[in-house]
Amino acid sequence: QVQFSESKTASMSAECRALYRRIKQIEKTKQELARSLKTATSKVSQLEDEVETIKRSYETQLSMMSDHLCGMNEKLTSQQDEIEALKSGKTKKGKQR
């Protein structure tokens, strides 16, 4: 029976050592995953900031282009009105002669 107890103790001791090694490996993996998660979270935050910056830039550019287009449209309308006025003045002068 002593031999059986010693055998059982040796078996349990070996199992405990194996479990201890497994726990240490799992803890190491957990730390590596935590570092990876921290890096990924930081990268996501950086990319979100970059997207927001680009979005604001595009909105500003779009606003400026819209203002420019409105100005150009007003100028074109004014020039068309001026051309029409000149044409109608020329037509009146031509009929008066």
Side-chain angles (χ1 to χ4, degrees), residues 56-93:
R56 281 193 305 269
S57 175
Y58 283 170
E59 287 172 350
T60 300
Q61 289 176 10
L62 185 58
S63 177
M64 289 172 61
M65 287 175 63
S66 294
D67 291 345
H68 180 70
L69 184 58
C70 286
M72 294 298 289
N73 192 32
E74 288 173 7
K75 186 175 179 180
L76 182 59
T77 301
S78 174
Q79 288 176 347
Q80 286 176 333
D81 291 345
E82 189 177 334
I83 289 169
E84 289 300 318
L86 290 171
K87 280 183 180 179
S88 64
K90 196 175 195 183
T91 304
K92 288 179 185 176
K93 286 182 181 178

Side-chain angles (χ1 to χ4, degrees), residues 25-77:
Q25 183 60 41
I26 289 170
E27 286 176 350
K28 182 180 176 186
T29 302
K30 179 184 172 185
Q31 289 174 353
E32 290 169 357
L33 290 172
R35 281 192 297 271
S36 294
L37 178 61
K38 186 176 180 181
T39 301
T41 301
S42 175
K43 184 69 174 173
V44 166
S45 179
Q46 177 186 356
L47 290 172
E48 286 173 342
D49 290 346
E50 189 175 327
V51 164
E52 189 59 36
T53 300
I54 291 169
K55 181 182 170 187
R56 281 193 305 269
S57 175
Y58 283 170
E59 287 172 350
T60 300
Q61 289 176 10
L62 185 58
S63 177
M64 289 172 61
M65 287 175 63
S66 294
D67 291 345
H68 180 70
L69 184 58
C70 286
M72 294 298 289
N73 192 32
E74 288 173 7
K75 186 175 179 180
L76 182 59
T77 301

Side-chain angles (χ1 to χ4, degrees), residues 11 16 19 34 66 71 89 96:
S11 174
C16 286
L19 288 172
S66 294
Q96 289 176 353

